[in-house]
Amino acid sequence: MIQAPAPLPPSRRRHDREIISLAVPAFGALVAEPLFVMVDSAIVGHLGTSQLAGLAVAAALLTTAVSVFVFLAYATTAAVARRVGAGDLASAIRQGMDGIWLALLLGIFVVAITLPTAPWLVDVFGASETAAPYATTYLRISSLGIPAMLVVMAATGVLRGLQDTRTPLYVALGGFAANGALNAGLVYGAGLGIAGSAWGTVIAQIAMAAAYLIVVVRGARRHGASLRPDAEGIKASAQAGVPLLVRTLSLRAVLMTATAVAARLGDTEIAAHQIILSLWNLMAFALDAIAIAGQAIIGRYLGADDAKGAREACRRMVQWGSASGVAFGALIILARPLFVPLFTGDQSVQDTLFPALLVVALSQPIAGVVFVLDGVLMGAGDGRYLAWAMLVTLALFAPVALLVPAFGGGLTALWWAMALMMTVRMVTLWLRTRSGKWIVTGATH
């Protein structure tokens, strides 16, 4: 006789509900963001090859510029969640407003640099003579939307800290729909070409920022929180973000090193690497959704002086992360013959791709734990340790990756180096969480 499985303990069921309620909408919002570029590419692609090439260069520059400031979301989530846990919603929203003001100031600074240097940046990124004018046009116009993009990032962190990931999902979906409609109308209806695509994206980003600000301002008025810029609060938000900026730059350096090594291996290898990296990023979105839940939940527990609840939530999220990684790894192995031909019909690229994909699949359970522990420590406000840990990881990864071509290794060897990088990250993060030094309770870290 088959016995029914034992019911989960109440605390575990509670954690599961919290994780699911935050992670699922967060995943939807994460996936919606890259769809902006996909829509732009689909619409601009019909204008011509030079226009599409120009968009590719400009979009890469914009993505790099904006992604560097992802700490605006991470640091704000942790700080706001702590105050929510402490029961001080007015202070939580005030903290969030400091992050939003910082985002606006940084956005204006980036625009001031980008507008005059756009032609030079496009040239550095290797745009051809025919694509460069289109890239410059798109970059200059789209840069006007950077302040809005960064405000969206910070405001997303505010709402996540308030344990709300549904509103960011709705705003992202609305922005995606508006972006598509505006791009089609301005590119073809108004005949503005690639400039129309850029303006459509700017308008959509400004609308998203406005939607977020309406929600945050309403919350501020409801709880009596000031909306005025506070120099000390903005300075504190910037200081909290510096370690996470170092962490993000170190991670970007890892990915850039891997791409540079793949390019040295040959055209077939870099083509296969790009396909794997796209898949790796997609898996990262799903795992990052659990990490976002971790940031919000851990910050709230620590703010409420509930160290036990924080430990239990951390333990359960690690189980979710590892299980998700196993599932994704199995999916990659089973679905390889189905999705690889969708990316390329070149048999040599496919032959290079398959063994490297196997390494990616085997490393997914490690990635699941890494993403979760990353989110846990971010939620705890342990940014300084995250920065040092990522610098150590970069220092170990870079020489190993750079030696791959020297020893005659191929793409599979490079992705074994990537697996080593994720293993180092897992070990450093696990040692920190096991030590308990990240458990600092109270409304502030």
Side-chain angles (χ1 to χ4, degrees), residues 243-258:
L244 294 179
L245 175 61
V246 172
R247 168 206 167 270
T248 300
L249 290 173
S250 300
L251 182 57
R252 296 290 300 182
V254 165
L255 299 177
M256 289 174 65
T257 300

Side-chain angles (χ1 to χ4, degrees), residues 31-32 39 46 56 63 133 137 162 174 223 237-238 244 251 293 297 351 370 445:
V31 171
V39 168
H46 290 286
T63 301
T137 296
L162 294 170
H223 298 286
S237 294
L244 294 179
L251 182 57
I297 293 170
D351 291 341
V370 167
H445 184 268

Side-chain angles (χ1 to χ4, degrees), residues 101-116:
W101 280 111
L102 175 62
L104 185 61
L105 292 174
L106 289 172
I108 293 171
F109 174 73
V110 174
V111 172
I113 292 176
T114 305
L115 283 176

